[in-house]
Amino acid sequence: MKKATERRLAAAERLLLSEKGSLQVIIIHGGFSGPPRLADVGGRILERAGDETLDAFEKRVINDAKAANLKSVVIGGLPPNGVELGTSDEFLSRFQFSEVPPEEPY
């Protein structure tokens, strides 16, 4: 890598890690079918309201994180332990696994 590129990358990294750095927002799609429903904001889990758009949810999460002076938030992904989003059967029933043969009796 060229020295100039390395210097610019290092400067960007320092800014992100500094107190003046902006909030890092990580959005994970694909944890469950449909758009993300949860966000981890400094260890607190925020859930998207049923009628709330993803854009409105992102704005709410970002505002909450900025008010708490956080450096990063994660929107989406699989829920942490203790957060119920239905049973595993309900979760798996949302998907078609055509490549997997049906369960055989013992």
Side-chain angles (χ1 to χ4, degrees):
M1 189 180 310
K2 292 183 179 181
K3 292 289 183 192
T5 304
E6 287 176 4
R7 283 193 305 274
R8 290 177 66 197
L9 191 56
E13 227 171 36
R14 279 191 305 276
L15 179 62
L16 282 173
L17 298 174
S18 75
E19 289 186 26
K20 295 179 182 179
S22 62
L23 177 69
Q24 182 181 28
V25 179
I26 301 166
I27 302 175
I28 302 170
H29 292 274
F32 282 98
S33 60
R37 296 176 48 192
L38 299 172
D40 184 339
V41 182
R44 291 182 304 119
I45 303 301
L46 299 182
E47 190 168 358
R48 201 172 105 214
D51 61 345
E52 188 174 27
T53 66
L54 182 56
D55 286 339
F57 181 55
E58 285 179 37
K59 286 177 186 173
R60 180 166 62 94
V61 167
I62 289 168
N63 288 338
D64 196 63
K66 285 181 178 178
N69 291 321
L70 297 177
K71 294 289 184 190
S72 66
V73 295
V74 178
I75 299 173
L78 294 174
N81 289 337
V83 176
E84 273 300 317
L85 290 179
T87 66
S88 58
D89 286 340
E90 290 170 339
F91 171 71
L92 292 173
S93 71
R94 299 179 197 158
F95 300 94
Q96 299 276 337
F97 296 108
S98 57
E99 67 278 2
V100 178
E103 185 177 355
E104 295 180 15
Y106 291 108

